[in-house]
Amino acid sequence: MKLLDKYIITSYMITFTTVFVILFFIFILQGVWLFISDLAGKDLDIWTIIKFLSFYAPTIVPLVLPLSILLAGIMTFGSFAENYEFAAMKSSGISLQRAMKMLTITIGILSFVSFFFANNVIPDAQYKFINLRKTIIQQRPAMAITEGQFNSIGNSNIKVDKKSGTNGEFLEGITMHIKNINYGLGANTIIKAKKGILSGEDDTNSLQLELNDGYYYEDIQPTKFEDRNKLPFVKSSFKKYTLTIDLGQLNQAEMEQGDITSEKMLTVPELSYTLDSLQKNYDKDVVSFADNLTLRNDNLFNKKPAQSALVAPKKENATKDLLSLFSKNERIQIIAMAKNNITSTDFSIQNSKIDLDYKSKNINSHWLAIHEKFVMAYSCLLMFFIGAPLGAIIRKGGLGLPIVFAMLIFITFHFINTFGKKLAQEATISPFLGAWMASLLMTPLAILLTYRATNDIGLMINFDWLTEPFQKIVKKITQTDNN
């Protein structure tokens, strides 16, 4: 390696390390703010807090690493151009491509390391992070419920006015809203209790909530549509009522809030194996639903026909109204049976659609988790080929203009990436396109900037080739009007 390559790599890596450390601690502080309700006032020892943050820290690397590479590229190459170091290189016959050669190889190695990190370190860290949260909640059950606000756990929302006791296990002023997913929107069950005790065991995956001296309200869904406007409900009182809180549901809710999901705890081989099972189950459910629906209709129409329908009418007396072949009572029975069959079929279709949509989204999430590992590695190269040429073009180092450009580019990249993943999760677009949307859209920018920087064209783009034909047309029209 020549002295020039060592100088460029050293300058870049010093800037990159400094930027990475600063941004990393900024995002760590953002994580502390995100989980402040879990850490503050829980009597956790310093070692537990350190482990808590250390297991969370790897999850922010996919955000910090590309941004650091982008900002370091703009700052380093901008400083080279500002101090006329590039001019000295070019006067010595060294092109920008040659100056970037060894540094590009270094970034390529860093991209490979980032893929290994995303595929092995992050899944392990997230697995340990969730287990640590589960352990803390089991040892201190009160962590599952924050005082003075509603806490979402599965299909329930719990609010307590006051907590007391060594671990906050004694509760006062308890309000619970429990949603029944079969009844649609709104809270279908409301429980209010004056006191309660929250307890947990180390060898179980659940917490026990014992409620004392309270009331129980539950909405009733009438079978007749006209009775639904009366809004009937059941009310009862109790001296003691015990509920079980599933920690799996609690962890799932917290994972969704913290952008941590179960598929992100898996490596690429594990994701491939899981996807194969999920896809087979999905295909099996689709075929099973279709067969059941067909069988139900076959059973309906293969029933023994009524006696009046056994005698086929003559062809010349054939009628388009099939119901006229039956008696009045039989027609009423047929219409009622058809309505019931339509209602039952529609209900079955809607329930199956919800179940299949959920499974489809789960499959898409697993595909996104696979692609994200490769996108992270590619984004490192992409941000380098955007940042380094842009720094050489703007010829400005330091922390002023480079930060502005870096933040604008990265926010655009992150917004498109988030937008694409949301569309892919909803099955609007394919998981591949959703995961790679931002990278595919930003790649032409990287190619354009690299081309213009290596050819000393600058940042301004000439659109005369596009506007000249219109200018000529307008000029001809103007001359014709004057004549």
Side-chain angles (χ1 to χ4, degrees), residues 144-340:
I145 300 175
T146 302
E147 184 179 293
Q149 67 182 45
F150 278 99
N151 304 266
S152 179
I153 303 177
N155 294 327
S156 304
N157 283 294
I158 305 176
K159 177 180 176 293
V160 298
D161 296 335
K162 184 179 179 181
K163 297 191 299 185
S164 59
T166 306
N167 294 320
E169 66 273 18
F170 299 108
L171 312 177
E172 297 181 13
I174 304 165
T175 302
M176 291 187 63
H177 293 175
I178 304 175
K179 176 178 169 53
N180 188 330
I181 58 176
N182 295 324
Y183 286 176
L185 300 176
N188 304 111
T189 302
I190 300 176
I191 301 176
K192 296 183 68 67
K194 294 182 179 179
K195 295 182 179 181
I197 301 175
L198 190 63
S199 60
E201 298 179 2
D202 295 339
D203 57 347
T204 63
N205 196 39
S206 61
L207 299 176
Q208 297 294 326
L209 177 58
E210 180 183 310
L211 303 176
N212 299 311
D213 195 10
Y215 294 90
Y216 182 96
Y217 307 86
E218 182 178 3
D219 294 334
I220 297 177
Q221 191 76 353
T223 55
K224 295 183 179 180
F225 182 79
E226 55 271 15
D227 293 337
R228 296 181 183 180
N229 293 329
K230 299 178 182 179
L231 302 177
F233 69 94
V234 173
K235 174 183 177 182
S236 62
S237 60
F238 58 85
K239 292 295 181 181
K240 181 179 178 181
Y241 186 74
T242 303
L243 291 172
T244 300
I245 299 176
D246 186 6
L247 285 179
Q249 293 181 332
L250 175 66
N251 288 334
Q252 181 66 28
E254 295 296 337
M255 285 191 297
E256 292 174 356
Q257 292 178 6
D259 195 26
I260 301 174
T261 51
S262 59
E263 60 270 10
K264 293 185 178 180
M265 302 179 192
L266 304 176
T267 61
V268 171
E270 293 170 342
L271 284 167
S272 300
Y273 178 81
T274 305
L275 268 170
D276 184 63
S277 300
L278 291 175
Q279 190 64 49
K280 287 182 179 179
N281 290 334
Y282 179 82
D283 295 338
K284 183 179 178 181
D285 290 341
V286 172
V287 174
S288 176
F289 168 70
D291 290 342
N292 290 336
L293 193 61
T294 304
L295 182 61
R296 176 185 300 170
N297 292 328
D298 288 344
N299 292 335
L300 175 65
F301 292 107
N302 287 336
K303 290 182 179 180
K304 185 178 180 180
Q307 185 66 29
S308 59
L310 291 177
V311 180
K314 295 182 180 180
K315 187 174 181 180
E316 58 273 12
N317 296 328
T319 177
K320 295 182 179 180
D321 188 5
L322 296 179
L323 290 177
S324 62
L325 302 176
F326 301 90
S327 65
K328 182 177 179 180
N329 291 334
E330 289 174 338
R331 288 199 295 268
I332 294 174
Q333 293 177 2
I334 290 173
I335 294 174
M337 183 174 60
K339 288 182 178 179
N340 292 334

Side-chain angles (χ1 to χ4, degrees), residues 261 263 275 278-279 282 353-369 421-428 431:
T261 51
E263 60 270 10
L275 268 170
L278 291 175
Q279 190 64 49
Y282 179 82
K353 182 178 181 298
I354 294 173
D355 182 59
L356 292 176
D357 286 345
Y358 172 79
K359 292 181 178 180
S360 176
K361 291 179 182 179
N362 191 27
I363 292 174
N364 291 338
S365 297
H366 281 75
W367 275 115
L368 283 173
K421 288 192 292 185
K422 292 295 184 182
L423 290 179
Q425 287 175 348
E426 298 297 328
T428 305

Side-chain angles (χ1 to χ4, degrees), residues 7-8 30 32 39 48 75-76 155 168 176 198 201 277 320 346 348-349 352 366 384 404 423 426 431 442 454 459 470:
Y7 172 71
I8 293 176
Q30 185 267 343
V32 173
L39 300 176
T48 302
M75 292 175 62
T76 303
N155 294 327
M176 291 187 63
L198 190 63
E201 298 179 2
S277 300
K320 295 182 179 180
D346 181 67
S348 177
I349 291 174
S352 299
H366 281 75
F384 173 73
V404 176
L423 290 179
E426 298 297 328
M442 299 293 283
T454 53
L459 193 60
F470 295 98

Side-chain angles (χ1 to χ4, degrees), residues 119 312 454 463:
N119 189 48
T454 53
F463 289 99

